[in-house]
Amino acid sequence: QVQLVESGGGLVQAGGSLRLSCEASGNTFRPHTMGWFRQAPGKDREFVAAITWNSGSTVYTDSVKGRFTVSRDNAKRMTYLQMNSLKPEDTTVYYCAAANALAWGLRRNYDDWGLGTQVTVSS
């Protein structure tokens, strides 16, 4: 059984940076795609970024292109989201997810989810 735990959230001023981490645990871990999503209270869960585990191909939602970078360390079973030039509208809970097939931004294609980490950007 795959377990995902996010960390690295916190409070930062607008224009600042945060690095989110997603640690995978369990006897086996062989995802096709690792994704990052975010969801504010009362809002739908929104796709942020994704990366394929083997090739490292990435995709981003338009609102974070040029500011966020998704990466992974296969040996450490870690996935990261480097967030630069943060804006107040980036404030929400961020979730890590794993998919057993190519998933990109489709929520229903992901099989495992973390519990989220809070990111707050002050203006």
Side-chain angles (χ1 to χ4, degrees):
Q1 183 178 3
V2 175
Q3 299 175 78
L4 304 175
V5 179
E6 304 93 339
S7 63
L11 175 64
V12 65
Q13 294 184 4
S17 299
L18 284 173
R19 186 199 193 200
L20 304 184
S21 298
C22 175
E23 182 179 9
S25 62
N27 292 331
T28 61
F29 185 66
R30 191 184 178 187
H32 186 285
T33 308
M34 295 295 296
W36 287 96
F37 293 77
R38 60 190 181 186
Q39 185 174 23
K43 304 293 183 181
D44 292 334
R45 190 161 296 191
E46 176 190 19
F47 171 72
V48 177
I51 185 169
T52 59
W53 197 249
N54 60 344
S55 68
S57 299
T58 59
V59 64
Y60 300 88
T61 191
D62 287 343
S63 63
V64 307
K65 287 180 179 177
R67 300 190 297 122
F68 291 9
T69 302
V70 62
S71 62
R72 87 282 194 237
D73 187 326
N74 299 59
K76 296 180 179 179
R77 305 200 302 183
M78 298 287 291
T79 308
Y80 307 100
L81 185 66
Q82 179 67 45
M83 305 185 295
N84 299 326
S85 302
L86 283 163
K87 305 174 181 180
E89 48 263 46
D90 295 319
T91 295
T92 189
V93 178
Y94 284 72
Y95 299 87
C96 175
N100 295 321
L102 182 64
W104 292 143
L106 296 175
R107 295 187 300 275
R108 62 178 175 270
N109 287 350
Y110 287 85
D111 303 292
D112 299 282
W113 294 82
L115 296 179
T117 185
Q118 176 70 47
V119 171
T120 302
V121 184
S122 62
S123 60

